[in-house]
């Protein structure tokens, strides 16, 4: 299905007092824009310990890259994939990006792009870091985990082999510095002789004052007691697994992962003595794993998941943890070896944390990078039915998920009463956050994804799919989040594709900020709004959208999409929509069915008008100002009342 005929712009409605004028606010990715009428910007997004600096906002000697009006994605467009849709390119020796720190720091993260190797597979290069004019160190950059080729419509078919257009052009480099630099330090990223990539594109920098490594709690037993050795490049899986098994068996109270680099080439799980299935899919339970901090206690893999062999399912990978119940993991990093979602011989990048998850599981301050999926919560009931146990009461907080090939955190298989809070997501290859109320459960009438909460999170730059999505279920809430710069899909989406159990009850979208979201997808024929409701199959009832700011959307601010189902009685209140660059403030497409009531909605600067109900639509929008008729007064063209 394609989007509306743009020749129908004339039926856009200017709806008087209810839709009042508003100034278009500046849109900067590194700080939340001004709050909406009933919300404070401080209430939204994650309380991250780092400060983010946009390359284009600093001083630079290089080329400013800016995206086109429709933020075209997937055609090797660096600016489209950049935060704020701008970045700086360094082509010659001596060019630089420079900025002054707003606080003290002893670490740096650089989001960057360097070219792929001619035959694919990436390359490693350096870039020079200076502080107040003094050379600090060479930063190691790599394109090993970026540069995918093919059609983003077919993510499983993307390949690492060069050819044609590319996407997922950026990756990140991080380093702990050898000392703390005070507030007001001028940092410079400079291309020196020896920094010999063909070019460097610098998008943004994170500076953070990282605390010293935490000390081992008395209750914990170190993995070194089981033979693990830090920083030696040898596989420590056996020692980590022995420590976790000892905790699971009640022999120790807690597993301690000290500061250091620990190589892990097999997923930590429970060996299945019954050998049920081709792969072992029994997770750990009754385990506590603690680390010295995500910058200090880092697990990493070097072996591509499909080459790992052994007891691991190739889809789930050879790193991280498989969790079945009652597990607490905190203050570590999990760095995968993935380079792709599913192409090149099913070479999937694995999952950092996966399993049934069960009850009483809490994951805190965990950094996951270069996985296919950061965290996948749930297993199909048919997968060892006697172990069935959906996620219930799970808590994720302080998560830092970066540069994945698919989802960030996905709650599926009946996950309920669970939350993701105060977490940040950047460059995910599918939904950064999702509830998928799938039918692959014990009883679809009972095991419904419900009462899950995504609150106080920051989502940036999903390079495929949504910032936040809910597919079916009831009582799910999306609150107090910031979503920036989606490539081709909505910032927030409610949908009944993926064959979920139906929506029921209320689904709440409240106090969120969405900036430069939406985009074109599916052969670039479908244009998605910042917030999109898509009743592809069953209806989507009970939706409330309130206290939200939507700015500089690539297409529409709020969109009701054509589908087989209806979207009845949507309530939209205290929402500001400004600067819908290539669309309407609110759109009901020609095949949309349902209704929405607007209260205290402010719309300005939309190219195609404030509210657009396309001819043929059975969607009714009540503005609270009486009835306005579209298409020359023909009610059959759609209604806005």
């Amino acid at each position: 299905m394609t989007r509306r005929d743009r020749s129908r712009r004339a039926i856009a409605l200017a709806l008087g007092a209810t839709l009042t004028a508003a100034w278009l606010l500046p849109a900067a990715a590194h700080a939340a824009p001004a709050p909406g009428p009933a919300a404070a910007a401080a209430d939204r997004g994650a309380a991250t310990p780092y400060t983010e600096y946009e390359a284009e906002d600093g001083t630079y000697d290089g080329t400013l890259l800016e995206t086109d009006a429709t933020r075209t994605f997937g055609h090797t467009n660096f600016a489209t994939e950049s935060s704020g849709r701008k970045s700086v390119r360094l082509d010659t020796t001596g060019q630089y990006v420079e900025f002054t720190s707003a606080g003290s720091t002893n670490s740096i993260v650089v989001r960057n792009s360097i070219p792929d190797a001619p035959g694919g597979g990436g390359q490693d290069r350096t870039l020079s870091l200076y502080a107040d004019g003094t050379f600090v160190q060479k930063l190691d950059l790599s394109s090993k985990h970026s540069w995918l080729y093919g059609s983003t419509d077919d993510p499983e078919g993307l390949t690492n082999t060069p050819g044609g257009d590319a996407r997922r052009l950026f990756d990140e480099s991080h380093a702990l510095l050898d000392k703390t630099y005070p507030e007001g330090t001028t940092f410079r990223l400079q291309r020196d002789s020896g920094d010999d990539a063909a070019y460097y594109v610098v998008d943004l920098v994170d500076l953070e004052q990282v605390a010293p490594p935490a000390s081992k709690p008395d209750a914990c037993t170190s993995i070194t007691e089981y033979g693990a050795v830090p920083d030696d490049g040898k596989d420590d899986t056996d020692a980590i697994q022995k420590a976790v098994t000892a905790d699971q068996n009640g022999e120790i109270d807690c597993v301690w992962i000290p500061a250091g680099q620990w190589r892990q080439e097999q997923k930590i799980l429970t060996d299945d003595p019954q050998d049920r299935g081709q792969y072992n899919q029994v997770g750990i339970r009754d385990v506590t794993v603690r680390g010295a901090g995500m910058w200090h206690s880092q697990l990493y893999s070097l072996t591509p998941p499909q080459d790992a062999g052994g007891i691991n399912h190739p889809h789930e990978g050879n790193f991280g943890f498989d969790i079945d119940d009652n597990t607490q993991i905190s203050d570590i990093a999990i760095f995968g070896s993935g380079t792709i979602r599913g192409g090149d011989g099913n070479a999937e990048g694995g999952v950092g944390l996966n399993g049934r998850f069960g009850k009483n599981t809490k994951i805190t301050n965990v950094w996951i990078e270069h996985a296919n999926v950061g965290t996948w919560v749930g297993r199909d009931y048919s997968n060892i039915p006697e172990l069935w146990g959906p996620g219930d009461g799970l808590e994720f907080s302080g998560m830092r998920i970066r540069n994945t090939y698919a989802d960030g955190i996905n709650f599926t298989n009946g996950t309920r009463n669970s939350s993701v809070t105060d977490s940040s997501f950047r460059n995910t290859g599918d939904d950064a956050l999702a509830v998928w109320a799938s039918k692959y459960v014990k009883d679809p009438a009972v095991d419904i994804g419900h009462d899950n909460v995504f609150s106080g999170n920051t989502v940036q730059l999903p390079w495929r799919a949504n910032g936040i999505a809910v597919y079916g279920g009831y009582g799910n809430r999306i609150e107090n989040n910031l979503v920036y710069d989606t490539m081709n899909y909505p910032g927030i989406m409610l949908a009944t594709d993926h064959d979920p159990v139906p929506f029921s009850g209320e689904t709440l979208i409240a106090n969120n900020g969405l900036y430069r979201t939406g985009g074109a997808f599916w052969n670039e024929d479908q244009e998605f709004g910042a917030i999109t409701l898509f009743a592809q199959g069953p209806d989507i009832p009970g939706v409330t959208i309130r206290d939200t700011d939507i700015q500089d959307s690539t297409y529409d601010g709020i969109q009701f999409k054509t589908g087989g189902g209806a979207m009845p009685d949507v309530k939209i209140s205290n929402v500001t929509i400004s600067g819908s660059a290539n669309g309407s403030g609110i759109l009901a497409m020609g095949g949309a069915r349902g209704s929405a009531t607007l209260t205290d909605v402010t719309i300005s600067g939309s190219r195609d008008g404030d509210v657009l109900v396309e001819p043929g639509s059975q969607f009714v929008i009540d503005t609270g100002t009486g009835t306005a008729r579209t298409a020359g007064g023909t009610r059959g063209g759609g209604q806005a009342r």
Side-chain angles (χ1 to χ4, degrees):
M1 96 191 88
T2 59
R3 186 182 164 90
R4 61 187 177 274
D5 182 347
R6 289 291 183 182
S7 67
R8 296 171 179 168
R9 295 177 198 161
I11 67 172
L13 304 175
L15 294 174
T18 300
L19 305 179
T20 59
W23 293 103
L24 180 61
L25 299 170
H30 59 284
D43 294 335
R44 298 175 181 163
T48 55
Y50 53 83
T51 302
E52 192 167 296
Y53 302 84
E54 293 288 331
E56 67 273 13
D57 290 340
T59 302
Y60 58 86
D61 177 8
T63 302
L64 178 66
L65 305 180
E66 298 184 84
T67 192
D68 61 284
T70 57
R71 298 162 182 162
T72 306
F73 170 72
H75 302 284
T76 323
N77 301 100
F78 291 99
T80 295
E81 295 195 33
S82 298
S83 176
R85 313 299 178 136
K86 297 179 183 179
S87 52
V88 176
R89 177 169 169 146
L90 311 179
D91 286 298
T92 60
T93 300
Q95 290 189 318
Y96 63 87
V97 171
E98 187 174 85
F99 52 92
T100 300
S101 65
S104 63
T105 186
N106 60 357
S107 71
I108 188 168
V109 174
V110 181
R111 187 170 193 264
N112 69 91
S113 181
I114 62 173
D116 196 1
Q123 59 181 317
D124 298 327
R125 291 293 185 268
T126 60
L127 187 61
S128 298
L129 175 66
Y130 290 80
D132 289 333
T134 300
F135 176 77
V136 175
Q137 68 181 70
K138 295 283 191 179
L139 298 177
D140 295 321
L141 279 55
S142 178
S143 54
K144 176 181 178 181
H145 300 282
S146 49
W147 292 93
L148 298 180
Y149 306 89
S151 170
T152 313
D153 287 2
D154 177 22
E156 308 297 336
L158 291 172
T159 175
N160 294 132
T161 302
D165 288 331
R167 73 275 303 129
R168 201 192 185 285
L169 305 174
F170 286 86
D171 202 59
E172 297 180 15
S173 172
H174 59 266
L176 273 174
L177 307 178
D178 60 1
K179 68 175 187 180
T180 292
Y181 292 86
E183 177 184 346
T185 299
T186 298
F187 288 98
R188 174 178 286 199
L189 296 169
Q190 181 168 292
R191 178 174 182 163
D192 286 347
S193 60
D195 300 330
D196 56 358
Y199 56 81
Y200 297 80
V201 180
V202 180
D203 181 26
L204 61 82
V205 171
D206 294 336
L207 298 181
E208 177 180 354
Q209 184 63 43
V210 178
S215 300
K216 183 182 79 66
D218 291 341
C220 294
T221 301
S222 175
I223 59 174
T224 59
E225 298 294 318
Y226 295 87
V229 177
D231 309 315
D232 67 349
K234 296 181 180 179
D235 190 0
D236 295 302
T237 301
D238 186 58
I240 300 169
Q241 182 68 69
K242 285 179 179 178
V244 168
T245 300
D247 190 2
Q248 184 165 300
N249 291 340
E251 299 167 13
I252 62 175
D253 293 328
C254 166
V255 175
W256 175 250
I257 301 180
Q261 301 285 316
W262 310 90
R263 186 175 176 186
Q264 178 196 356
E265 297 295 359
Q266 294 286 329
K267 189 176 289 290
I268 303 304
L269 36 65
T270 298
D271 195 13
D272 183 5
Q274 300 181 47
D275 292 327
R276 290 166 288 191
Q278 181 181 0
Y279 302 103
N280 188 342
Q281 297 186 46
V282 180
I284 62 177
R285 60 180 59 229
D286 306 319
V287 169
T288 298
V289 177
R290 299 182 63 179
M294 64 169 64
W295 276 91
H296 301 295
S297 299
Q298 299 187 335
L299 307 177
Y300 72 96
S301 168
L302 295 178
T303 306
Q306 73 277 7
D307 297 334
I311 59 176
N312 289 282
H313 191 297
H315 177 76
E316 294 168 358
N318 52 312
F319 55 92
F321 296 83
D322 189 331
I323 300 169
D324 269 1
D325 189 62
N326 187 33
T327 293
Q328 291 77 48
I329 300 176
S330 61
D331 300 299
I332 65 171
I334 300 169
F335 295 146
S337 55
T339 62
I340 202 164
R341 174 161 171 160
D344 284 1
N346 198 33
E348 296 198 33
V351 183
L353 299 171
N354 63 273
R356 298 169 182 84
F357 281 81
K359 294 185 177 182
N360 304 314
T361 292
K362 182 181 292 187
I363 312 297
T364 308
N365 300 334
V366 175
W367 182 350
I368 301 174
E369 192 157 357
H370 298 148
N372 190 39
V373 174
T375 299
W376 188 271
V377 176
R379 285 196 184 278
D380 295 355
Y381 174 69
S382 60
N383 177 236
I384 315 181
E386 59 268 33
L387 295 181
W388 167 253
D392 190 350
L394 312 181
E395 296 180 16
F396 293 83
S397 62
M399 303 296 289
R400 189 177 301 191
I401 294 183
R402 301 285 187 269
N403 304 308
T404 64
Y405 301 93
D407 305 68
I409 297 179
N410 194 314
F411 286 171
T412 187
N413 296 96
T415 302
R416 72 286 305 267
N417 306 313
S418 298
S419 62
V420 180
T421 60
D422 205 25
S423 297
S424 64
F425 302 79
R426 193 155 63 210
N427 206 35
T428 58
D430 215 303
D431 301 333
L433 285 163
V435 174
W436 178 27
S438 70
K439 296 178 179 177
Y440 308 113
V441 295
K442 184 176 181 178
D443 183 351
V446 174
D447 297 318
I448 299 169
H450 68 83
D451 292 299
N452 300 297
V453 180
F454 299 141
S455 179
N457 304 294
T458 298
V459 175
Q460 295 172 278
L461 295 153
W463 62 269
R464 187 182 186 274
N466 304 282
I468 304 174
V470 175
Y471 306 98
Y474 64 87
N476 297 299
R477 309 199 309 272
I478 302 170
E479 301 177 295
N480 312 319
N481 304 286
L482 292 171
V483 183
Y484 298 101
D485 297 307
T486 59
M487 297 296 106
N488 48 34
Y489 240 53
I492 296 175
M493 187 175 197
L494 308 182
T496 53
D497 52 352
H498 306 301
D499 191 30
V501 299
F503 281 89
S504 61
E506 183 186 45
T507 302
L508 177 64
I509 301 172
N511 194 28
N512 300 286
L514 294 90
Y515 309 99
R516 299 177 301 275
T517 57
F521 203 45
W522 304 119
N523 196 37
E524 302 174 28
D525 289 331
Q526 295 188 39
E527 298 165 357
F528 290 88
I531 296 178
T532 296
L533 273 59
F534 177 31
Q536 182 191 49
D539 295 351
I540 304 180
V543 176
T544 296
I545 303 170
R546 60 173 173 80
D547 307 323
T548 289
D549 291 298
I550 303 171
Q551 293 187 14
D552 196 11
S553 303
T554 304
Y555 293 101
D556 308 300
I558 297 175
Q559 182 188 94
F560 300 100
K561 190 172 176 61
T562 297
M567 298 157 281
D569 195 26
V570 178
K571 295 179 172 60
I572 304 174
S573 64
N574 208 25
V575 170
T576 298
I577 303 171
S578 58
S580 299
N582 304 286
S584 307
I586 298 175
L587 167 73
M589 296 180 71
R593 296 186 293 118
S595 62
T597 300
L598 312 185
T599 304
D600 295 327
V601 173
T602 301
I603 302 177
S604 65
S606 301
R607 189 192 71 179
D608 294 348
D610 294 333
V611 174
L612 176 60
V613 181
E614 290 186 339
S617 178
Q618 301 178 49
F619 202 91
V620 177
I621 298 177
D622 185 348
T623 70
T625 59
T627 300
R629 297 184 178 183
T630 65
T634 303
R635 296 176 64 90
Q639 299 176 57
R641 294 177 174 167

